[in-house]
Amino acid sequence: MARLEDYIELNAKRFPTTLALVDATESVTYGELWARITLRARELKAEKALVIRASQSVEFLIDYFAAHLSGSVIVPLEHDIPDKAFDDIALRVAHADIPAEVADVLFTTGTTGERKGSMISHRAILANAENLIDAQGFSHGLRFIVCGPLNHIGSLSKIWPTLMVGATVQILDGLKDMGAFFRAVEQSPIPVATFMVPASIAMMLRFGREELERLASRFDFLETGAAPMPQADMEELCKVLSHSRLYNTYASTETGIISTHDFNHGPCVAGCLGRPMKHAWLSIDDDGIITCGGEQRMTGYLDGPLIGDSVTTSDRGCIDQEGRLHLAGRKDDFINVGGFKVNPVEVEDAARSHPSIADCICVGVPHPVLGTSLRLLYVPTEGSVTGPALHRDLSRHLSLRLERHKIPILFSAVPSIARTYNGKLNRRHYQQNNSDKI
């Protein structure tokens, strides 16, 4: 089959009354889902691409699949993306030369602060789905609870295999309401699975441990990834969900889903990400940099050249004697905040547009729940009054320009910002001097 939509059509015939999608307001069976997708596909104009804000809803996923069925590329963006950023991306997409095999363009933030659009083909979607089905045991009698944003590969890559095998996707609006997550687990008539970034797992262990223990038998498996998970949290999760499969997965928008490791039924070692999946391969060069390949990888970046057989990452790692990948950290300056990769350049550029900020640097600092949070160190302009009032105004200023997870929760006035000899921000200085004590 050439597209995921072919599997949805097949499952509409095989399992017409099985629930396919569930959100806060509606549930649709496979038969109903396919009928609504085909109707929506006829309504869509035959445009090259559909640029759309993603919402945590059945309706958004119908648009997503209908765009594919109509022959359009879909470009899902954050639901709270500022209008200016939305319009800029729509313009870029309209003028881009997109290969015929591309299904999705998923935008991430590049090292220069500019958003990069990763082009994902229909074949890559199927290969990612097959990787996860083969490695993690997705089955028809499963309900996968999706908590993350639907414009991100972390969530989309769980929807793909779930619908391929004819199982059920339940969509939640994040984990702000932990009670809603536990109700979804408790009310499911079949075993559940979910994906959580390490920061969400830490919150669950801290504030919802009793409920997690009470409902432990309902979990088929839980997957984590996107950021390093502390060893202590891994060990605690193994105690709470002692009978479930617990996967730590290596993936990115560019590489696709590469490898996974069940740390509840294998070595419980932080940074261990398992062996390459069905369609994936990886190698490590003499400097420890990871290169990945396989049918699940992206086609290339929007406005950029198509890639060859592999993608060279910004990650360092090694392979143990059992062929398992171990991650050793990143070579770039991104800051992982609750599973989101934040480019500090984007935060700094937005902050410097405030009239009271003369200079600044955004750094990651330890957080007891999130793992890492953002702190903005700034030099105030002459005459500016620092303190809580300015910090509140600065936070409001940033909220008009950035997504929520990119807004620092700490602000500190400093006399100067360390720079290198050629005037660049000296990020290494703050890493070496433990920025949480500055």
Side-chain angles (χ1 to χ4, degrees):
M1 294 190 183
R3 301 173 300 185
L4 182 60
E5 289 70 31
D6 297 329
Y7 284 90
I8 297 174
E9 180 182 16
L10 175 63
N11 289 331
K13 298 173 183 176
R14 296 169 63 202
F15 316 118
T17 61
T18 297
L19 281 181
L21 301 176
V22 179
D23 67 13
T25 61
E26 64 173 325
S27 303
V28 296
T29 65
Y30 274 94
E32 293 165 340
L33 175 61
W34 183 243
R36 289 175 64 174
I37 289 172
T38 54
L39 176 62
R40 181 66 176 131
R42 289 195 294 269
E43 294 171 349
L44 289 174
K45 296 179 181 179
E47 296 179 353
K48 177 174 69 175
L50 175 64
V51 183
I52 186 174
R53 285 181 167 86
S55 62
Q56 301 299 108
S57 66
V58 167
E59 195 63 38
F60 165 73
L61 286 178
I62 289 171
D63 282 342
Y64 175 84
F65 295 119
H68 291 167
L69 192 63
S70 71
S72 297
V73 172
I74 189 162
V75 188
L77 303 176
E78 300 94 332
H79 70 92
D80 60 349
I81 187 172
D83 289 344
K84 177 64 164 57
F86 182 97
D87 293 341
D88 288 346
I89 288 175
L91 187 63
R92 285 176 59 188
V93 170
H95 289 92
D97 183 15
I98 303 176
E101 71 270 17
V102 171
D104 298 4
V105 178
L106 304 181
F107 272 85
T108 58
T109 304
T111 56
T112 63
E114 182 183 4
R115 293 171 178 267
K116 290 185 177 181
S118 297
M119 297 187 292
I120 313 298
S121 69
H122 285 285
R123 178 56 200 149
I125 288 174
L126 294 183
N128 278 297
E130 290 169 357
N131 277 353
L132 286 165
I133 292 167
D134 181 70
Q136 295 182 349
F138 280 71
S139 64
H140 172 62
L142 179 74
R143 178 171 295 205
F144 201 103
I145 300 174
V146 174
C147 305
L150 298 183
N151 64 296
H152 192 278
I153 196 170
S155 295
L156 289 174
S157 65
K158 308 307 173 288
I159 291 169
W160 300 334
T162 306
L163 295 185
M164 182 180 279
V165 299
T168 303
V169 172
Q170 181 159 359
I171 308 161
L172 298 184
D173 189 12
L175 282 172
K176 298 183 292 292
D177 182 357
M178 201 176 294
F181 173 79
F182 287 128
R183 286 192 296 275
V185 174
E186 186 167 25
Q187 293 170 7
S188 174
I190 53 179
V192 302
T194 194
F195 174 90
M196 291 185 188
V197 296
S200 296
I201 292 173
M203 285 193 296
M204 198 73 67
L205 290 172
R206 183 173 180 180
F207 301 112
R209 184 182 180 115
E210 289 185 4
E211 281 292 272
L212 204 58
E213 289 176 335
R214 185 176 70 84
L215 299 171
S217 64
R218 295 179 176 269
F219 285 87
D220 184 13
F221 67 88
L222 182 149
E223 182 189 25
T224 189
M229 186 172 178
Q231 180 73 36
D233 287 352
M234 292 174 64
E235 293 172 357
E236 283 302 302
L237 192 62
C238 288
K239 293 177 183 177
V240 176
L241 299 180
S242 59
H243 300 292
S244 302
R245 304 192 305 282
L246 303 175
Y247 293 105
N248 200 359
T249 297
Y250 183 59
S252 72
T253 309
E254 292 85 353
T255 65
I257 316 301
I258 298 297
S259 64
T260 196
H261 172 65
D262 180 0
F263 59 87
N264 202 22
H265 297 89
C268 185
V269 178
C272 181
L273 297 163
R275 300 177 184 85
M277 296 181 180
K278 180 177 180 178
H279 295 290
W281 61 263
L282 63 87
S283 63
I284 299 177
D285 67 16
D286 293 340
D287 295 323
I289 301 301
I290 302 169
T291 293
C292 302
E295 293 182 328
Q296 78 294 322
R297 72 190 186 285
M298 71 174 182
T299 301
Y301 287 118
L302 191 75
D303 304 324
L306 303 184
I307 64 168
D309 294 333
S310 62
V311 177
T312 300
T313 74
S314 297
D315 297 322
R316 297 181 187 275
C318 63
I319 298 175
D320 66 18
Q321 293 181 344
E322 301 297 324
R324 295 180 296 238
L325 172 66
H326 292 255
L327 200 62
R330 299 181 61 82
K331 70 174 185 178
D332 55 26
D333 296 318
F334 279 89
I335 304 169
N336 274 302
V337 179
F340 291 97
K341 292 191 291 185
V342 177
N343 188 340
V345 173
E346 188 177 4
V347 181
E348 292 150 3
D349 288 347
R352 290 194 192 98
S353 68
H354 191 283
S356 295
I357 304 301
D359 200 4
C360 64
I361 186 168
C362 179
V363 298
V365 295
H367 189 281
V369 175
L370 297 176
T372 301
S373 60
L374 299 179
R375 184 177 197 175
L376 189 78
L377 306 175
Y378 68 91
V379 178
T381 55
E382 187 175 355
S384 296
V385 178
T386 63
L390 173 58
H391 298 167
R392 287 193 295 270
D393 187 62
L394 183 55
S395 184
R396 286 193 294 269
H397 177 83
L398 294 175
S399 70
L400 298 175
R401 293 159 175 80
L402 302 170
E403 295 88 293
R404 187 178 305 164
H405 64 272
K406 298 178 182 177
I407 300 173
I409 64 172
L410 297 171
F411 299 88
S412 300
V414 294
S416 63
I417 300 295
R419 292 182 175 271
T420 63
Y421 72 95
N422 59 1
K424 293 183 179 180
L425 291 171
N426 191 348
R427 300 191 188 279
R428 187 181 298 271
H429 166 82
Y430 294 97
Q431 294 168 354
Q432 293 174 341
N433 289 278
N434 197 1
S435 59
D436 60 323
K437 297 181 180 179
I438 295 174

